[in-house]
Amino acid sequence: MAWFNELQRLGLFTSLDLHFALLMTRLAGGDIAELGLAAALVSQWRGRGHSCLPLMAVAGTVLDQEDPARPEVCCPDLDQWRGLLSRASVVGAPGDFTPLVLDQADRLYLYRYWEYEQVLANAIRARCQTLALAPDQMARIKDTTSRLFAVAPAALDWQRLAALTAVLKPFSVISGGPGTGKTCTVAKILTILLASDPKSRIALAAPTGKAAARLQEALRLEKTALVDFPEARQAFPEESFTIHRLLGSRRGSSSFHHNADHPLPFDVIIVDEASMVDLALMAKLIVAVPRQARLILLGDKDQLASVEAGAVLGDICGAGQGEGFSREFGGLLEELSGAAVPLAETRGALGDCIVQLQKSHRFAEQSGIGRLARAVNRGDGALALVTLKAGGYGDISQQPLPEAGQMTTVLRDLVVDGFRGYLEAATPAAAFAALARFRLLCALRRGPFGVDGLNNTVESILAQAGLIRPDATWYHGRPVMVTSNDYALQLFNGDVGITLAGGEQGGPLRVYFPGTTGGGVRSFLPGRLPATQTVYAMTVHKSQGSEFEKVLMILPDRDSPVLTRELLYTGLTRAREHIELWYMEDILRQAVARVAQRSSGLHDLLAIRAG
């Protein structure tokens, strides 16, 4: 098969991509090069986070290759390719049960990802209506809301509108950047619901253990301010879940215990950091939510999308975008809030389920981090550079990217100061708290400015300072991140642990992780763990769901497709108090100008069906 050998020689495709292509051509009963190429590409694009392959984007183009001296491989033109694929037995139209699905917009899917989009769009559409609540329930909602929020706010109170929307809709999205009050709003949502029905069964969830623990702790702090609602405070949930644990993961299977036939036993399900939830997981979650229950998604639509395929939160917010509410729903919000509500004649049913929080209480107008993040979000590279170089902000600093050979020297003081408290902590709890004070973030995995190179550099610096002894893979003080799921141990990709010698006298090394219920910690022998990596430095992607007092973000010395404004924005906003950025100006400008795009049909499905 000449086409197969050509694809192998390109060096662009994984073994999985190539063997899937080979399987498709064999099932189709012929040596069809165009089908093999399409199958390899759809597998490759899924691995890059896309839920489908848009034929129009690649038709007629020449594929990149590692060795420019080799013969080129050119994709067929669109009409020819579409016609050939539509005649292949392994390619079907939407609704056909075939390995590949080609839709009317020339998007080629793996069948299961086409189905995930359909399931998710249909479930969201079914939940866009307003709940039919009894008059006494509406009266209690109005009364509790008026007690929780200012009677006559000086400006439009988007937190109030978000809370009412979540109470009135079986599906809602509350989007907002760091410090816009998402958790505060959730505390008030829970108070309104529990004041109406103290027996409401509520679940808190997030994609990672770290994010779940943060949500639980943030709500614990928020409820202390609700002194006028002692009964509601008493009924607040005391536990948070990873989504995998909430659904009941099955060992060796991608399915879950809870599904459409065995729904979750909750009346309200709140999911934080929803931008991190991929298409497959969100589809499995939403079908497991009982029809009469509320599903509330919290997140920042401007952050990076999930590591796995899909950009679900962005697609939902994009399909329902708008500044006001429909006249009917807006009138209901006005009645319950006692305040004027912005209206939009073109706002559809999905739009009424989405509220964008507007004001950041953490990054005010005078905040350097806030100003820089806003400039990046708007794609204004010039303003971002002016902000970085202004020198008048106490929460940002910057310097040109050092040469690779100078990294150990220029990092030494920052690294020793940043990690000393962690490495000298006396208990696991103290170590976790100290580790959250400082982190290195980068865009890439490889190279001297990537995760691998920086972790090696940091280990060398800390060893020279006498803070660690990395004479083996596992050593006292090594922070690690789990890179694969282990359902038996309830450890998942992205969970962070710390390695400590056991006992006061220094027993066997154990790796500690935050507890899955009610705080505390869990520990394991290193040999029991799934795959891990050292995490003094981490990619911005892996930092989602985490916050640190101080962040040093190091951009690479060359451009890369992963350098986008979403990546910069996400990295900048991981810092609560101070961000330091090392960069080259041309690389920063290119990153701010590049928008991350995930190929998907979900946006179109939602815009058509739920608009």
Side-chain angles (χ1 to χ4, degrees):
M1 292 184 176
W3 64 267
F4 185 82
N5 294 330
E6 287 181 1
L7 294 186
Q8 276 188 313
R9 283 195 296 269
L10 281 176
L12 297 175
F13 297 102
T14 66
S15 296
L16 177 62
D17 301 334
L18 294 170
H19 284 90
F20 178 71
L22 202 59
L23 174 63
M24 289 299 99
T25 57
R26 286 174 177 169
L27 289 176
D31 186 11
I32 310 169
E34 295 86 352
L35 173 61
L37 175 59
L41 284 169
V42 76
S43 175
Q44 179 194 63
W45 279 54
R46 191 221 61 82
R48 293 176 177 175
H50 305 275
S51 59
C52 61
L53 170 70
L55 292 182
M56 188 177 295
V58 295
T61 64
V62 176
L63 297 182
D64 295 328
Q65 51 188 356
E66 294 180 347
D67 184 356
R70 292 172 178 163
E72 294 179 343
V73 173
C74 183
C75 296
D77 68 67
L78 183 60
D79 290 339
Q80 176 194 355
W81 213 358
R82 182 198 303 121
L84 190 147
L85 291 175
S86 64
R87 294 190 297 272
S89 62
V90 294
V91 181
D96 293 339
F97 190 64
T98 51
L100 297 170
V101 174
L102 181 62
D103 73 5
Q104 294 86 346
D106 294 321
R107 290 182 287 240
L108 186 66
Y109 288 88
L110 298 171
Y111 176 84
R112 61 175 173 163
Y113 285 89
W114 173 84
E115 185 178 42
Y116 288 145
E117 286 191 353
Q118 301 295 318
V119 165
L120 185 54
N122 289 336
I124 291 174
R125 177 180 59 174
R127 292 176 172 274
C128 284
Q129 80 277 14
T130 302
L131 291 168
L133 301 175
D136 62 321
Q137 290 178 295
M138 297 294 278
R140 283 194 294 269
I141 289 169
K142 184 174 183 178
D143 175 66
T144 308
T145 303
S146 66
R147 294 167 61 195
L148 282 168
F149 294 92
V151 176
L156 188 63
D157 190 341
W158 285 101
Q159 287 189 26
R160 180 200 298 251
L161 298 182
L164 285 170
T165 298
V167 169
L168 295 170
K169 295 284 188 178
F171 172 78
S172 59
V173 176
I174 302 173
S175 177
T180 51
K182 295 189 292 294
T183 308
C184 175
T185 303
V186 168
K188 293 178 178 179
I189 291 169
L190 294 181
T191 303
I192 296 169
L193 291 172
L194 290 167
S196 178
D197 181 4
K199 295 182 179 179
S200 291
R201 299 167 299 171
I202 298 165
L204 307 175
T208 66
K210 179 69 173 178
R214 278 188 52 226
L215 174 62
Q216 182 180 336
E217 176 62 17
L219 276 176
R220 186 185 66 80
L221 295 174
E222 289 289 345
K223 78 174 184 179
T224 60
L226 301 170
V227 293
D228 295 332
F229 302 91
E231 291 185 1
R233 289 175 54 187
Q234 186 68 25
F236 265 42
E238 298 292 337
E239 181 181 3
S240 59
F241 302 83
T242 63
I243 298 175
H244 287 83
R245 192 165 74 90
L246 177 72
L247 291 175
S249 52
R250 297 177 184 272
R251 184 183 298 185
S253 172
S254 61
S255 65
F256 293 96
H257 176 70
H258 290 289
N259 50 43
D261 297 323
H262 188 200
L264 290 160
F266 296 103
D267 305 305
V268 182
I269 297 162
I270 298 171
V271 179
D272 198 11
E273 297 292 350
S275 65
M276 299 170 62
V277 185
D278 61 85
L279 173 64
L281 187 57
M282 188 68 82
K284 293 172 184 178
L285 170 64
I286 201 167
V287 298
V289 177
R291 286 297 300 271
Q292 72 277 13
R294 292 173 175 85
L295 175 62
I296 303 167
L297 304 183
L298 312 175
D300 185 347
K301 66 179 179 60
D302 296 316
Q303 279 191 25
L304 283 166
S306 58
V307 175
E308 300 296 329
V312 175
L313 187 68
D315 282 342
I316 294 171
C317 291
Q321 64 185 350
E323 293 299 325
F325 297 91
S326 69
R327 187 165 299 277
E328 180 181 2
F329 188 63
L332 181 57
L333 290 177
E334 288 188 352
E335 178 186 345
L336 292 173
S337 67
V341 171
L343 302 178
E345 294 296 334
T346 58
R347 191 74 155 167
L350 176 62
D352 281 340
C353 300
I354 301 169
V355 178
Q356 174 71 34
L357 299 181
Q358 309 286 332
K359 181 180 179 181
S360 175
H361 302 278
R362 181 186 307 167
F363 303 134
E365 288 297 323
Q366 65 271 22
S367 160
I369 295 176
R371 183 176 174 85
L372 182 57
R374 289 189 290 271
V376 169
N377 246 349
R378 292 196 295 265
D380 192 338
L383 179 58
L385 284 168
V386 168
T387 304
L388 278 167
K389 295 180 177 181
Y393 300 102
D395 57 349
I396 58 174
S397 55
Q398 57 88 40
Q399 74 168 45
L401 184 70
E403 295 289 335
Q406 299 176 331
M407 288 298 288
T408 299
T409 301
V410 295
L411 275 173
R412 181 172 286 110
D413 290 344
L414 274 172
V415 163
V416 171
D417 291 344
F419 291 114
R420 181 185 293 278
Y422 157 67
L423 293 167
E424 293 179 347
T427 65
F432 275 117
L435 188 60
R437 294 183 188 131
F438 175 68
R439 195 62 54 90
L440 277 72
L441 300 183
C442 45
L444 307 178
R445 288 287 312 277
R446 310 297 180 202
F449 307 109
V451 167
D452 294 346
L454 285 172
N455 275 317
N456 288 336
T457 300
V458 170
E459 283 187 327
S460 174
I461 291 170
L462 295 175
Q464 291 173 14
L467 292 172
I468 62 172
R469 297 178 59 186
D471 46 4
T473 300
W474 292 98
Y475 57 85
H476 177 78
R478 182 191 179 203
V480 295
M481 173 178 284
V482 175
T483 58
S484 63
N485 296 332
D486 189 316
Y487 299 110
L489 298 181
Q490 292 293 301
L491 292 174
F492 301 101
N493 192 349
D495 287 349
V496 172
I498 53 178
T499 310
L500 300 174
E504 295 182 1
Q505 303 302 318
L509 292 172
R510 298 188 70 88
V511 186
Y512 292 81
F513 292 86
T516 58
T517 59
V521 294
R522 304 178 290 154
S523 69
F524 305 91
L525 293 171
R528 290 193 63 200
L529 297 179
T532 60
Q533 64 184 37
T534 304
V535 73
Y536 298 107
M538 63 199 305
T539 62
V540 174
H541 253 116
K542 292 291 190 180
S543 74
Q544 286 182 270
S546 299
E547 290 180 348
F548 311 99
E549 288 182 13
K550 181 177 180 180
V551 167
L552 170 59
M553 185 158 64
I554 301 176
L555 299 186
D557 58 349
R558 62 199 66 190
D559 193 26
S560 167
V562 305
L563 287 170
T564 64
R565 71 179 62 163
E566 291 84 358
L567 180 136
L568 287 177
Y569 171 80
T570 302
L572 293 170
T573 55
R574 296 312 88 200
R576 290 196 302 269
E577 297 179 7
H578 190 274
I579 180 77
E580 182 165 347
L581 185 64
W582 294 3
Y583 64 99
M584 298 173 67
E585 284 195 21
D586 59 332
I587 300 300
L588 180 67
R589 287 182 183 274
Q590 291 176 72
V592 173
R594 181 181 291 118
V595 178
Q597 293 182 326
R598 291 278 178 93
S599 295
S600 162
L602 182 61
H603 174 281
D604 291 352
L605 287 173
L606 290 171
I608 293 170
R609 298 181 184 182

